[in-house]
Amino acid sequence: MAESKGISNVIDLNRIQVTDTFWKKEIELVRDTVIPYQWEALNDRVPDAQPSYCMHNYKVAGKINRKIEQEADYIQPVHTTNGFCVWPENPKEPEERFYGFVFQDSDFSKWIEAVAYILRQYPNPELEKTADEAIEIVYRAQQPDGYLDTFYIINDISKRFTNLRDHHELYCLGHLIEGAVAYYQATGKDRLLGVACRYADCVAEHFGPETGKLHGYPGHEIAEMALAKLYAVTGQERYRDLGLYFINERGKRPYFFDMEHPLDAKENEKLRYQYHQAHLPVREQTEAVGHAVRAVYLYSGMADFARLTSDEELKAACERLWDDITQKKMYITGGIGSTHIGEAFSFAYDLPNDTVYAETCASIGMIFFAQRMLEMCPNSKYADIMERELYNIVLGGMGLDGTSFFYVNPLEVVPEACHKDSRKEHVKPVRQKWFGCACCPPNLARLVGSIGSYVFTETEDTVFVHLYMGIQMEKKLESDSVRIDMQSGFPWNGNVSIRVECETEETFTIALRIPSWGRNFRINGIENAAAQEKDGYLYLTKAWKSDVLQIEFPMEIQVLEADSRVRENIGKAAVMRGPVVYCMEEADNGKDMHLLKMDEDASFETEEKKIALESVIAIRAQGWRQRKAQNAGLYFAYDKIEYERTELTWIPYYAWANRGEGEMQVWTRI
Amino acid sequence: MAESKGISNVIDLNRIQVTDTFWKKEIELVRDTVIPYQWEALNDRVPDAQPSYCMHNYKVAGKINRKIEQEADYIQPVHTTNGFCVWPENPKEPEERFYGFVFQDSDFSKWIEAVAYILRQYPNPELEKTADEAIEIVYRAQQPDGYLDTFYIINDISKRFTNLRDHHELYCLGHLIEGAVAYYQATGKDRLLGVACRYADCVAEHFGPETGKLHGYPGHEIAEMALAKLYAVTGQERYRDLGLYFINERGKRPYFFDMEHPLDAKENEKLRYQYHQAHLPVREQTEAVGHAVRAVYLYSGMADFARLTSDEELKAACERLWDDITQKKMYITGGIGSTHIGEAFSFAYDLPNDTVYAETCASIGMIFFAQRMLEMCPNSKYADIMERELYNIVLGGMGLDGTSFFYVNPLEVVPEACHKDSRKEHVKPVRQKWFGCACCPPNLARLVGSIGSYVFTETEDTVFVHLYMGIQMEKKLESDSVRIDMQSGFPWNGNVSIRVECETEETFTIALRIPSWGRNFRINGIENAAAQEKDGYLYLTKAWKSDVLQIEFPMEIQVLEADSRVRENIGKAAVMRGPVVYCMEEADNGKDMHLLKMDEDASFETEEKKIALESVIAIRAQGWRQRKAQNAGLYFAYDKIEYERTELTWIPYYAWANRGEGEMQVWTRI
């Protein structure tokens, strides 16, 4: 039997083709709707939406660099008076100002990354031309020394790197690298990669352990994992060293942020350091704290560097933080960050369903983290969470129309409360159009666009299958290549077939993840294989030639309860089927769903159901509706609770809020 | 049989003596601890507490008025750098500045009102001397034209009455009147009453329907009910007219506050008008909205003027608003205002137990409102709520030590959540010391100090008994006087005896409230009386000479449920005994009280229990504790819930948080 020989690697998208019908329509939604819509948004051409100003800012920065010689119409007049983040001093003509959030540059980077993933799978010369032109605008905005953050270029270059905590120069660097690497890998064009390298070089000039350099680190993490990627692509150790420096410097005392910012008596330690995960050196951190997106982006970077430098201490920290999140701070949907105040982790087992935050981007970050943990140690607990995030938060974060999005992913919604209760105004009962702070939609686009890269990892002699979907992959062996063609009925049925084709017989290992919900699987086609289960993977080693594995994961309906320390779920249960979390909606179950009660002994049935244009599997069971207790006054003598029979209907959580505004709940009394 | 001949009146405290052992110790706590502590606070002499600056500001204002001729040490140096509300222009020497909130003047007024109530019952020349000296300081601060708000006197008198919405000149007028009337009634001294009249005259000069006057009204209500009181004491119709003008003007369009304040696109109608109950003319209002204290202060004033002017439309509005609060927006404890955002009413049936606001002052305002509704129409529904507020929020608002207070009165507390969850940081698990914004503690002091005045109202021939407590009262009849001496075991037992003594036989009516929880009462001593029940009162008419009524209200333990539209209480029950709401504390029931479950068929027992130095009746019953469900991961296959037997212990809600920090809950699963 074979087992993991250490590190496995993510497979390049060039060797992958997603064929899955379920996911393909999501990818095509990104291709046909999200990316074009996003490009209009970047250029402030979406009617009734808050302008992005992203491309505007790059153009203004380019003009400042004098790379632009009076090109007509290069900068459009700005039709707005409500610009934000306008620099207080140094007044400029309206069309030469910076507009938008300090991190507005990253809108482009996320877009180009999604474009790159799409171009790999669907060549499109027109889109590539648009992308190349956009890259040209960004290229011109770069300063001679490589610096590239339009907020400071436009407003006051002398102030750069003076507010790492709150401003986003290094965040923008991170996204620029991610976009540039993806575009380079997709097209082979290195113009944007050059821009990213020069900006990274400029940052490396200013940050590091040497005297005279800044001993700082990003206020919003992402540069860490981006630099690991840049190192992988370029082989330049200075990028690895810079990323590792950021990782190592974070949380050291005296706090870098304290040197930047005068201490404020009103600010407590939590707000000041935990928000940025800068309260302790990363290797000493044991609890996931602060802004959830920042946290999981950091942990992803830590995992990258633990792998790249074989740093066991760093790896152990990653494992601790992973377990802290998944065992104490994660909603059943995969949502993380339970409070909107600071978009942050709350405390262990504090998982309110209705005042929840659970930002879409945080779940996307959790997928990045999971992928990196899988590279280090193939354990199905990581892939299980990746799958949970994908089929629930990621899918649910985008409307079936591709132009509406959830930032906050609640598990219980009463629309009246969202509208009338200020404590819940961050919870929206319907998906929203593009936001000024457009983090989640482009993050969804780049994730969905690259979903194929999360399915496998590989070592020299092993292919790990972490997710099941229709996909084709080629693996080079020493003298031969293997073609793997997977088909799957996920998420509606658990049937998977994996066809393995080699020119000549080749001995290697295929390691199949056994999902936590599908341990009673059946498998055919392994007659001559050595089989062993380890850490939730079934390792199958044999001489493969032309084989078909047939696996059947039982997609049984699971009624689940939460650890009893989760107060909000006491006496309640939730329903899953395979990787899909289910919820009840008012459209099927009527109003006042808090009156509903599941029957412990009910039998469940599935049925196909149309939600908007989507065909899903719904679940039905007999249950109870508590008779309304209404009497004189609000409070009255308790009477034995009476219930009447009712049918309960659940639909996949991801499909909620596609039928107008109504109540929704994941957890129901039992 | 007799029935109410229209309006009944509150009985002057001079004719009342509280003898009740239960309430007397509360009154003595106010006398011995709260009032002296508060005086120190007003003079910034409480170590480690935020200074009030109240007397400081009066002194500075007095100096500006040139009534002070260089008296040594009149104004103490200010030992602070963190003054707030400092006027931006017009810099002054530190010792000549205004400090504190804009409504800081009212600290004195609330204090003098509590002092007055105490002096009536416990003559104390030394306290009276201190009070007279304080009054002198306030007297000197008054401007020649009667104006008296130190914030504007010190900062810029030309700006007065330019920000009625956010500043508190008319609020301070209201409290000044309330304090002045009480002190006049207690001591016969009219120096402060004169100050109040002159300030009211000054306001009347500036506000009214005439051209050239301001057509405004208070941003924070109280002046309305205060002016009704000033009218009652002085007989001057101009005070009635001014109060009525404020009532009538509120909510008219165009909004007065819009003329004061430029419209802000970000502010919604709710924030801008509902917060101040200025969204509609008061007679058209049907729902209690906005800041809860302001709301019930307004409604109290509306009730005053409905009574004084026999305005049926205004009375109907009061009845609607009363019913809206008590039938849709009130906690079982009597708490109102369920959200901390705006300290405001939320929407109907939105009564979360843990993120609750339920400010102590709002419940005190509800008592004012109830008393005024009782004057107009004796219906036990008003007195029931008064009683509920007194025995639960009012008692619970003050620690058994008299120097710690709750502003927020939660029905469910998990200390960890208060400390770690920013959404609950307004909820304190233990009572707090004096606050900079000291509204609740002095409000509690003036309420408890005058509690005797809430027990009765009277008409010419009827004495209404609204509350049961040890108290003596004298009523003048045409030729005779009646002495009523009530004894009661409230709140621990429902035995009440009422001794009626007249010189000669006198025919009149005693109307006894029948509490909603005590309808199965027994009564002795009514052999020769005509008895009739109406609107929750038992009217007893006879020729009284020397009689004793013996009433026994059954203090049975009541298990209560909430209207099923209160989502947070679904599947839960609460316990009351007589007027007292009970709660469970960790000290008796252990941690993780969300695991507890009441047994529908359990029998309840009472027992005496010491909580700090207080002896209370506790309640015990057999119940259940859910076995902890903890497994691999946060979520796992649902298993039939198992419970183990446990004993549940409840203590009176008002006595909670006197045994250190721990969990508390009013509503328990059943």
mmCIF file of all heavy atoms in Angstrom, chain A residues 270 330 338 420 423 559 563-564 567 594 600 634-635 638 640 663, chain B residues 270 330 338 420 423 559 563-564 567 594 600 634-636 638 640 663:
data_model
loop_
_atom_site.group_PDB
_atom_site.id
_atom_site.type_symbol
_atom_site.label_atom_id
_atom_site.label_comp_id
_atom_site.label_asym_id
_atom_site.label_seq_id
_atom_site.Cartn_x
_atom_site.Cartn_y
_atom_site.Cartn_z
ATOM 1 N N LYS A 270 -8.399 43.900 22.414
ATOM 2 C CA LYS A 270 -9.120 43.092 21.445
ATOM 3 C C LYS A 270 -9.230 43.818 20.106
ATOM 4 O O LYS A 270 -8.902 43.283 19.057
ATOM 5 C CB LYS A 270 -10.507 42.810 22.017
ATOM 6 C CG LYS A 270 -11.317 41.795 21.265
ATOM 7 C CD LYS A 270 -12.509 41.411 22.132
ATOM 8 C CE LYS A 270 -13.645 40.897 21.272
ATOM 9 N NZ LYS A 270 -14.854 40.673 22.060
ATOM 10 N N MET A 330 -17.721 27.440 14.080
ATOM 11 C CA MET A 330 -18.211 27.328 12.702
ATOM 12 C C MET A 330 -19.689 26.932 12.685
ATOM 13 O O MET A 330 -20.107 26.020 13.394
ATOM 14 C CB MET A 330 -17.377 26.297 11.947
ATOM 15 C CG MET A 330 -17.839 26.090 10.507
ATOM 16 S SD MET A 330 -16.766 24.961 9.586
ATOM 17 C CE MET A 330 -15.502 26.102 9.018
ATOM 18 N N SER A 338 -18.920 35.039 13.755
ATOM 19 C CA SER A 338 -20.337 35.082 14.120
ATOM 20 C C SER A 338 -20.827 36.456 14.529
ATOM 21 O O SER A 338 -22.001 36.630 14.770
ATOM 22 C CB SER A 338 -20.637 34.054 15.208
ATOM 23 O OG SER A 338 -19.955 34.357 16.384
ATOM 24 N N LYS A 420 -36.750 46.094 10.757
ATOM 25 C CA LYS A 420 -37.130 46.969 11.862
ATOM 26 C C LYS A 420 -36.180 46.932 13.047
ATOM 27 O O LYS A 420 -36.256 47.780 13.917
ATOM 28 C CB LYS A 420 -38.536 46.582 12.354
ATOM 29 C CG LYS A 420 -39.613 46.822 11.308
ATOM 30 C CD LYS A 420 -40.990 46.552 11.905
ATOM 31 C CE LYS A 420 -42.088 46.795 10.896
ATOM 32 N NZ LYS A 420 -43.386 46.292 11.391
ATOM 33 N N ARG A 423 -30.386 45.877 15.267
ATOM 34 C CA ARG A 423 -29.366 44.884 15.596
ATOM 35 C C ARG A 423 -29.153 43.886 14.475
ATOM 36 O O ARG A 423 -28.182 43.136 14.472
ATOM 37 C CB ARG A 423 -29.774 44.107 16.860
ATOM 38 C CG ARG A 423 -29.668 44.906 18.117
ATOM 39 C CD ARG A 423 -30.432 44.236 19.230
ATOM 40 N NE ARG A 423 -31.852 44.173 18.905
ATOM 41 C CZ ARG A 423 -32.825 44.013 19.802
ATOM 42 N NH1 ARG A 423 -32.527 43.889 21.071
ATOM 43 N NH2 ARG A 423 -34.084 43.979 19.445
ATOM 44 N N VAL A 559 -30.206 13.806 10.188
ATOM 45 C CA VAL A 559 -30.732 14.774 11.153
ATOM 46 C C VAL A 559 -29.611 15.003 12.157
ATOM 47 O O VAL A 559 -29.094 14.057 12.741
ATOM 48 C CB VAL A 559 -31.997 14.245 11.841
ATOM 49 C CG1 VAL A 559 -32.488 15.231 12.885
ATOM 50 C CG2 VAL A 559 -33.073 13.975 10.800
ATOM 51 N N ASP A 563 -23.389 20.471 19.233
ATOM 52 C CA ASP A 563 -22.808 20.379 20.576
ATOM 53 C C ASP A 563 -23.675 21.224 21.509
ATOM 54 O O ASP A 563 -24.064 22.342 21.169
ATOM 55 C CB ASP A 563 -21.385 20.937 20.518
ATOM 56 C CG ASP A 563 -20.650 20.799 21.835
ATOM 57 O OD1 ASP A 563 -21.102 21.391 22.840
ATOM 58 O OD2 ASP A 563 -19.617 20.131 21.857
ATOM 59 N N SER A 564 -23.976 20.692 22.660
ATOM 60 C CA SER A 564 -24.949 21.371 23.527
ATOM 61 C C SER A 564 -24.417 22.687 24.095
ATOM 62 O O SER A 564 -25.152 23.442 24.700
ATOM 63 C CB SER A 564 -25.389 20.459 24.669
ATOM 64 O OG SER A 564 -24.274 20.073 25.435
ATOM 65 N N ARG A 567 -25.696 27.375 22.554
ATOM 66 C CA ARG A 567 -26.973 27.658 23.218
ATOM 67 C C ARG A 567 -28.123 27.849 22.241
ATOM 68 O O ARG A 567 -29.256 27.473 22.511
ATOM 69 C CB ARG A 567 -26.851 28.947 24.045
ATOM 70 C CG ARG A 567 -26.009 28.744 25.265
ATOM 71 C CD ARG A 567 -25.723 30.032 26.006
ATOM 72 N NE ARG A 567 -24.906 29.688 27.154
ATOM 73 C CZ ARG A 567 -25.383 29.516 28.376
ATOM 74 N NH1 ARG A 567 -26.658 29.706 28.626
ATOM 75 N NH2 ARG A 567 -24.591 29.163 29.358
ATOM 76 N N HIS A 594 -40.972 29.488 13.747
ATOM 77 C CA HIS A 594 -40.531 29.117 15.099
ATOM 78 C C HIS A 594 -41.545 28.197 15.775
ATOM 79 O O HIS A 594 -41.238 27.558 16.763
ATOM 80 C CB HIS A 594 -40.282 30.365 15.946
ATOM 81 C CG HIS A 594 -41.506 31.172 16.240
ATOM 82 N ND1 HIS A 594 -42.226 31.825 15.255
ATOM 83 C CD2 HIS A 594 -42.155 31.429 17.393
ATOM 84 C CE1 HIS A 594 -43.251 32.452 15.791
ATOM 85 N NE2 HIS A 594 -43.233 32.232 17.091
ATOM 86 N N GLU A 600 -39.325 13.307 15.925
ATOM 87 C CA GLU A 600 -38.128 12.456 16.048
ATOM 88 C C GLU A 600 -38.232 11.182 15.224
ATOM 89 O O GLU A 600 -37.228 10.657 14.765
ATOM 90 C CB GLU A 600 -37.924 12.052 17.508
ATOM 91 C CG GLU A 600 -37.282 13.119 18.366
ATOM 92 C CD GLU A 600 -36.851 12.550 19.711
ATOM 93 O OE1 GLU A 600 -37.513 11.610 20.207
ATOM 94 O OE2 GLU A 600 -35.858 13.049 20.248
ATOM 95 N N LEU A 634 -49.858 39.619 27.064
ATOM 96 C CA LEU A 634 -48.698 38.950 26.489
ATOM 97 C C LEU A 634 -48.358 37.658 27.217
ATOM 98 O O LEU A 634 -47.781 36.758 26.653
ATOM 99 C CB LEU A 634 -47.483 39.881 26.606
ATOM 100 C CG LEU A 634 -47.084 40.725 25.424
ATOM 101 C CD1 LEU A 634 -45.932 41.638 25.805
ATOM 102 C CD2 LEU A 634 -46.703 39.846 24.242
ATOM 103 N N TYR A 635 -48.690 37.610 28.515
ATOM 104 C CA TYR A 635 -48.275 36.490 29.351
ATOM 105 C C TYR A 635 -49.494 35.918 30.054
ATOM 106 O O TYR A 635 -50.340 36.670 30.539
ATOM 107 C CB TYR A 635 -47.229 36.952 30.370
ATOM 108 C CG TYR A 635 -46.085 37.667 29.686
ATOM 109 C CD1 TYR A 635 -45.987 39.069 29.707
ATOM 110 C CD2 TYR A 635 -45.138 36.959 28.956
ATOM 111 C CE1 TYR A 635 -44.976 39.725 29.034
ATOM 112 C CE2 TYR A 635 -44.124 37.620 28.278
ATOM 113 C CZ TYR A 635 -44.039 38.993 28.317
ATOM 114 O OH TYR A 635 -43.044 39.644 27.642
ATOM 115 N N TYR A 638 -49.543 28.999 31.822
ATOM 116 C CA TYR A 638 -49.023 27.995 30.900
ATOM 117 C C TYR A 638 -50.016 26.858 30.761
ATOM 118 O O TYR A 638 -50.547 26.350 31.739
ATOM 119 C CB TYR A 638 -47.685 27.453 31.429
ATOM 120 C CG TYR A 638 -47.161 26.291 30.636
ATOM 121 C CD1 TYR A 638 -46.524 26.499 29.428
ATOM 122 C CD2 TYR A 638 -47.327 24.983 31.097
ATOM 123 C CE1 TYR A 638 -46.054 25.430 28.687
ATOM 124 C CE2 TYR A 638 -46.856 23.913 30.360
ATOM 125 C CZ TYR A 638 -46.228 24.139 29.156
ATOM 126 O OH TYR A 638 -45.764 23.085 28.420
ATOM 127 N N LYS A 640 -50.580 23.089 28.657
ATOM 128 C CA LYS A 640 -49.844 22.066 27.914
ATOM 129 C C LYS A 640 -49.794 22.464 26.436
ATOM 130 O O LYS A 640 -50.811 22.818 25.842
ATOM 131 C CB LYS A 640 -50.554 20.727 28.069
ATOM 132 C CG LYS A 640 -49.590 19.584 28.272
ATOM 133 C CD LYS A 640 -50.300 18.288 28.652
ATOM 134 C CE LYS A 640 -49.296 17.150 28.746
ATOM 135 N NZ LYS A 640 -48.516 17.184 29.999
ATOM 136 N N GLU A 663 -39.435 34.143 5.618
ATOM 137 C CA GLU A 663 -38.678 33.564 6.721
ATOM 138 C C GLU A 663 -37.826 32.399 6.218
ATOM 139 O O GLU A 663 -38.176 31.751 5.241
ATOM 140 C CB GLU A 663 -39.628 33.036 7.800
ATOM 141 C CG GLU A 663 -40.379 34.105 8.550
ATOM 142 C CD GLU A 663 -41.289 33.525 9.628
ATOM 143 O OE1 GLU A 663 -41.043 32.390 10.081
ATOM 144 O OE2 GLU A 663 -42.248 34.212 9.998
ATOM 145 N N LYS B 270 -37.245 56.965 10.820
ATOM 146 C CA LYS B 270 -37.310 56.348 12.127
ATOM 147 C C LYS B 270 -36.397 57.064 13.123
ATOM 148 O O LYS B 270 -36.802 57.445 14.214
ATOM 149 C CB LYS B 270 -36.886 54.886 11.979
ATOM 150 C CG LYS B 270 -37.069 54.031 13.188
ATOM 151 C CD LYS B 270 -36.860 52.579 12.768
ATOM 152 C CE LYS B 270 -36.464 51.716 13.953
ATOM 153 N NZ LYS B 270 -36.116 50.366 13.513
ATOM 154 N N MET B 330 -43.736 44.535 25.978
ATOM 155 C CA MET B 330 -43.280 44.572 27.373
ATOM 156 C C MET B 330 -42.788 43.201 27.798
ATOM 157 O O MET B 330 -43.435 42.191 27.568
ATOM 158 C CB MET B 330 -44.430 45.015 28.274
ATOM 159 C CG MET B 330 -44.067 45.061 29.743
ATOM 160 S SD MET B 330 -45.407 45.711 30.766
ATOM 161 C CE MET B 330 -45.042 47.455 30.693
ATOM 162 N N SER B 338 -36.863 47.289 23.853
ATOM 163 C CA SER B 338 -36.112 46.029 23.783
ATOM 164 C C SER B 338 -34.798 46.144 23.021
ATOM 165 O O SER B 338 -34.056 45.192 22.964
ATOM 166 C CB SER B 338 -36.977 44.916 23.193
ATOM 167 O OG SER B 338 -37.368 45.223 21.877
ATOM 168 N N LYS B 420 -17.434 39.118 26.177
ATOM 169 C CA LYS B 420 -16.737 38.818 24.919
ATOM 170 C C LYS B 420 -17.526 39.159 23.676
ATOM 171 O O LYS B 420 -16.961 39.191 22.589
ATOM 172 C CB LYS B 420 -16.374 37.328 24.879
ATOM 173 C CG LYS B 420 -15.365 36.934 25.945
ATOM 174 C CD LYS B 420 -14.949 35.493 25.746
ATOM 175 C CE LYS B 420 -13.937 35.053 26.800
ATOM 176 N NZ LYS B 420 -13.719 33.605 26.753
ATOM 177 N N ARG B 423 -22.005 42.587 20.878
ATOM 178 C CA ARG B 423 -23.438 42.840 20.726
ATOM 179 C C ARG B 423 -24.152 42.935 22.065
ATOM 180 O O ARG B 423 -25.288 43.376 22.158
ATOM 181 C CB ARG B 423 -24.087 41.702 19.922
ATOM 182 C CG ARG B 423 -23.732 41.726 18.470
ATOM 183 C CD ARG B 423 -24.085 40.405 17.839
ATOM 184 N NE ARG B 423 -23.298 39.318 18.440
ATOM 185 C CZ ARG B 423 -23.059 38.162 17.856
ATOM 186 N NH1 ARG B 423 -23.562 37.912 16.677
ATOM 187 N NH2 ARG B 423 -22.334 37.241 18.446
ATOM 188 N N VAL B 559 -47.102 29.356 36.698
ATOM 189 C CA VAL B 559 -46.211 29.058 35.567
ATOM 190 C C VAL B 559 -46.840 29.719 34.350
ATOM 191 O O VAL B 559 -48.010 29.505 34.046
ATOM 192 C CB VAL B 559 -46.074 27.540 35.358
ATOM 193 C CG1 VAL B 559 -45.183 27.246 34.151
ATOM 194 C CG2 VAL B 559 -45.506 26.900 36.609
ATOM 195 N N ASP B 563 -47.230 34.882 24.753
ATOM 196 C CA ASP B 563 -47.876 34.841 23.443
ATOM 197 C C ASP B 563 -46.891 34.208 22.454
ATOM 198 O O ASP B 563 -45.705 34.546 22.447
ATOM 199 C CB ASP B 563 -48.203 36.280 23.024
ATOM 200 C CG ASP B 563 -48.970 36.351 21.721
ATOM 201 O OD1 ASP B 563 -48.441 35.903 20.685
ATOM 202 O OD2 ASP B 563 -50.089 36.861 21.734
ATOM 203 N N SER B 564 -47.380 33.315 21.633
ATOM 204 C CA SER B 564 -46.455 32.553 20.793
ATOM 205 C C SER B 564 -45.792 33.404 19.720
ATOM 206 O O SER B 564 -44.881 32.948 19.044
ATOM 207 C CB SER B 564 -47.159 31.358 20.149
ATOM 208 O OG SER B 564 -48.250 31.806 19.365
ATOM 209 N N ARG B 567 -40.982 35.120 19.736
ATOM 210 C CA ARG B 567 -40.175 33.995 19.275
ATOM 211 C C ARG B 567 -39.193 33.491 20.315
ATOM 212 O O ARG B 567 -38.920 32.303 20.412
ATOM 213 C CB ARG B 567 -39.368 34.417 18.030
ATOM 214 C CG ARG B 567 -40.235 34.588 16.830
ATOM 215 C CD ARG B 567 -39.489 35.164 15.629
ATOM 216 N NE ARG B 567 -40.434 35.264 14.544
ATOM 217 C CZ ARG B 567 -40.555 34.357 13.576
ATOM 218 N NH1 ARG B 567 -39.749 33.326 13.530
ATOM 219 N NH2 ARG B 567 -41.467 34.491 12.647
ATOM 220 N N HIS B 594 -29.149 26.797 30.006
ATOM 221 C CA HIS B 594 -29.952 26.501 28.809
ATOM 222 C C HIS B 594 -30.251 25.014 28.705
ATOM 223 O O HIS B 594 -31.139 24.612 27.964
ATOM 224 C CB HIS B 594 -29.234 27.003 27.548
ATOM 225 C CG HIS B 594 -27.950 26.298 27.253
ATOM 226 N ND1 HIS B 594 -26.843 26.371 28.072
ATOM 227 C CD2 HIS B 594 -27.599 25.500 26.229
ATOM 228 C CE1 HIS B 594 -25.871 25.648 27.554
ATOM 229 N NE2 HIS B 594 -26.300 25.108 26.438
ATOM 230 N N GLU B 600 -43.567 19.758 33.344
ATOM 231 C CA GLU B 600 -44.934 20.277 33.302
ATOM 232 C C GLU B 600 -45.753 19.869 34.528
ATOM 233 O O GLU B 600 -46.651 20.588 34.933
ATOM 234 C CB GLU B 600 -45.661 19.726 32.055
ATOM 235 C CG GLU B 600 -45.319 20.445 30.777
ATOM 236 C CD GLU B 600 -46.280 20.041 29.650
ATOM 237 O OE1 GLU B 600 -46.770 18.897 29.653
ATOM 238 O OE2 GLU B 600 -46.534 20.907 28.794
ATOM 239 N N LEU B 634 -18.530 19.732 15.992
ATOM 240 C CA LEU B 634 -19.606 20.576 16.518
ATOM 241 C C LEU B 634 -20.972 19.996 16.218
ATOM 242 O O LEU B 634 -21.917 20.241 16.945
ATOM 243 C CB LEU B 634 -19.529 21.953 15.848
ATOM 244 C CG LEU B 634 -18.853 23.092 16.573
ATOM 245 C CD1 LEU B 634 -18.844 24.316 15.678
ATOM 246 C CD2 LEU B 634 -19.557 23.411 17.871
ATOM 247 N N TYR B 635 -21.087 19.263 15.125
ATOM 248 C CA TYR B 635 -22.387 18.778 14.655
ATOM 249 C C TYR B 635 -22.300 17.272 14.436
ATOM 250 O O TYR B 635 -21.315 16.784 13.907
ATOM 251 C CB TYR B 635 -22.777 19.493 13.353
ATOM 252 C CG TYR B 635 -22.700 20.991 13.512
ATOM 253 C CD1 TYR B 635 -21.624 21.715 12.991
ATOM 254 C CD2 TYR B 635 -23.663 21.680 14.245
ATOM 255 C CE1 TYR B 635 -21.531 23.086 13.176
ATOM 256 C CE2 TYR B 635 -23.575 23.048 14.438
ATOM 257 C CZ TYR B 635 -22.498 23.748 13.905
ATOM 258 O OH TYR B 635 -22.399 25.094 14.103
ATOM 259 N N PHE B 636 -23.326 16.565 14.863
ATOM 260 C CA PHE B 636 -23.289 15.101 14.762
ATOM 261 C C PHE B 636 -24.715 14.568 14.750
ATOM 262 O O PHE B 636 -25.669 15.310 15.042
ATOM 263 C CB PHE B 636 -22.481 14.508 15.920
ATOM 264 C CG PHE B 636 -22.694 15.225 17.214
ATOM 265 C CD1 PHE B 636 -23.796 14.938 18.014
ATOM 266 C CD2 PHE B 636 -21.824 16.225 17.638
ATOM 267 C CE1 PHE B 636 -24.005 15.606 19.210
ATOM 268 C CE2 PHE B 636 -22.034 16.916 18.828
ATOM 269 C CZ PHE B 636 -23.128 16.604 19.616
ATOM 270 N N TYR B 638 -28.234 13.347 15.244
ATOM 271 C CA TYR B 638 -29.152 13.615 16.342
ATOM 272 C C TYR B 638 -29.493 12.317 17.054
ATOM 273 O O TYR B 638 -29.797 11.309 16.437
ATOM 274 C CB TYR B 638 -30.436 14.253 15.782
ATOM 275 C CG TYR B 638 -31.518 14.406 16.820
ATOM 276 C CD1 TYR B 638 -31.492 15.460 17.717
ATOM 277 C CD2 TYR B 638 -32.560 13.489 16.895
ATOM 278 C CE1 TYR B 638 -32.473 15.597 18.680
ATOM 279 C CE2 TYR B 638 -33.547 13.612 17.850
ATOM 280 C CZ TYR B 638 -33.504 14.660 18.744
ATOM 281 O OH TYR B 638 -34.472 14.784 19.695
ATOM 282 N N LYS B 640 -31.814 10.827 20.425
ATOM 283 C CA LYS B 640 -32.919 11.191 21.311
ATOM 284 C C LYS B 640 -32.349 11.933 22.516
ATOM 285 O O LYS B 640 -31.384 11.504 23.127
ATOM 286 C CB LYS B 640 -33.641 9.916 21.765
ATOM 287 C CG LYS B 640 -35.150 10.061 21.749
ATOM 288 C CD LYS B 640 -35.860 8.744 21.993
ATOM 289 C CE LYS B 640 -37.341 8.979 22.116
ATOM 290 N NZ LYS B 640 -38.007 9.285 20.822
ATOM 291 N N GLU B 663 -24.639 33.088 35.547
ATOM 292 C CA GLU B 663 -25.755 33.039 34.609
ATOM 293 C C GLU B 663 -27.074 33.356 35.315
ATOM 294 O O GLU B 663 -27.232 33.107 36.506
ATOM 295 C CB GLU B 663 -25.866 31.636 33.989
ATOM 296 C CG GLU B 663 -24.731 31.283 33.059
ATOM 297 C CD GLU B 663 -24.918 29.897 32.426
ATOM 298 O OE1 GLU B 663 -26.067 29.413 32.329
ATOM 299 O OE2 GLU B 663 -23.899 29.304 32.057
#
